[in-house]
């Protein structure tokens, strides 16, 4: 299974650090050269162009919500891929999304992909602290998708990275708990929760 993160701002960097901490290889790509930042994060973080990153089996979108359609046009085909939506559409009027949850609207730019919402509910500064909380628990990452198998596979990745996955179900059901709507943050956004095994 190959992984890529598109966007190495604060959220993308925090996710890349989680991969590096576990020694898992991940491609990173963005609008600018990421060679120096990737080298700083760790040897398992491989900088590439966006054109190459979209070839990965699992593509994590850590970009501003408004740029997702541009990335969607980059791949020849999204069939069979998992796209993890780590974006937040805060401030985007619901009518611009056709009344849909932001992840459902975003999914239209990735035809054939299995789209999963994850890694978006924590502030970057908290996500960058890593999977373990000061109290010794595993930091929770919420996962939501209309494809149960894709949701389960992303939950496995979240677990591999050391976090505690909590599956919320369908995007327009439990997934609404981690979707910003207009100028309102959803109930679980910013909730830094931990699971104790």
């Amino acid at each position: 299974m190959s992984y890529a993160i598109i966007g190495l701002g604060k959220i993308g960097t925090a996710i890349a650090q989680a991969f590096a901490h576990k020694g898992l290889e991940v491609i990173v790509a963005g609008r600018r050269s990421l060679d120096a930042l990737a080298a700083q994060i760790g040897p398992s973080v491989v900088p590439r162009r966006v054109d190459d990153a979209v070839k990965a089996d699992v593509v994590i979108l850590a970009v501003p919500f408004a740029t997702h359609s541009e990335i969607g046009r980059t791949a020849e085909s999204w069939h069979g891929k998992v796209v993890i939506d780590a974006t937040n559409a805060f401030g985007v009027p619901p009518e611009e999304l056709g009344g849909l949850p932001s992840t459902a609207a975003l999914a239209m730019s990735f035809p054939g992909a299995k789209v999963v919402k994850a890694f978006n509910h924590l502030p970057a500064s908290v996500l960058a602290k890593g999977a373990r909380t000061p109290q010794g628990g595993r930091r929770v990452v919420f996962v939501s998708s209309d494809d149960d198998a894709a949701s389960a596979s992303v939950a496995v990745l979240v677990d591999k990275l050391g976090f505690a996955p909590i599956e919320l179900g369908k995007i327009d059901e439990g997934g609404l708990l981690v979707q910003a709507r207009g100028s309102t943050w959803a109930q679980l956004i910013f909730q830094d929760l931990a699971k104790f095994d």
Side-chain angles (χ1 to χ4, degrees), residues 2-34:
S2 57
Y3 301 99
I5 301 168
I6 299 179
L8 215 54
K10 292 177 182 176
I11 290 288
T13 297
I15 298 169
Q17 288 168 338
F19 274 87
H21 183 70
K22 293 295 184 180
L24 294 173
E25 184 171 297
V26 64
I27 292 167
V28 292
R31 292 182 178 176
R32 64 195 194 313
S33 171
L34 302 175

Side-chain angles (χ1 to χ4, degrees), residues 8 26-29 33-36 38-39 42-49 52:
L8 215 54
V26 64
I27 292 167
V28 292
S33 171
L34 302 175
D35 293 10
S44 66
V45 178
V46 182
R48 292 282 187 266
R49 296 176 324 138
D52 297 319

Side-chain angles (χ1 to χ4, degrees), residues 58-172:
V58 178
V59 177
I60 302 169
L61 297 178
V63 296
F65 180 80
T67 65
H68 73 271
S69 56
E70 176 185 332
I71 295 163
R73 292 189 294 272
T74 306
E76 286 181 23
S77 172
W78 289 99
H79 285 277
K81 295 182 182 295
V82 172
V83 172
I84 299 177
D85 174 19
T87 71
N88 275 309
F90 184 80
V92 177
E95 52 273 15
E96 279 187 33
L97 303 175
L100 297 170
S102 62
T103 299
L106 175 143
M108 290 191 274
S109 295
F110 300 89
K114 299 164 186 170
V115 178
V116 181
K117 187 75 163 175
F119 294 109
N120 73 298
H121 85 280
L122 290 172
S125 59
V126 174
L127 195 58
K129 290 178 183 178
R132 287 279 168 190
T133 65
Q135 299 78 21
R138 291 194 303 150
R139 191 163 270 120
V140 166
V141 169
F142 294 109
V143 179
S144 174
S145 179
D146 291 340
D147 186 293
D148 293 342
S151 183
S153 72
V154 171
V156 168
L157 171 63
V158 167
D159 186 64
K160 259 191 212 176
L161 295 176
F163 295 90
I166 303 280
E167 293 186 70
L168 297 176
K170 306 290 185 203
I171 300 246
D172 65 350

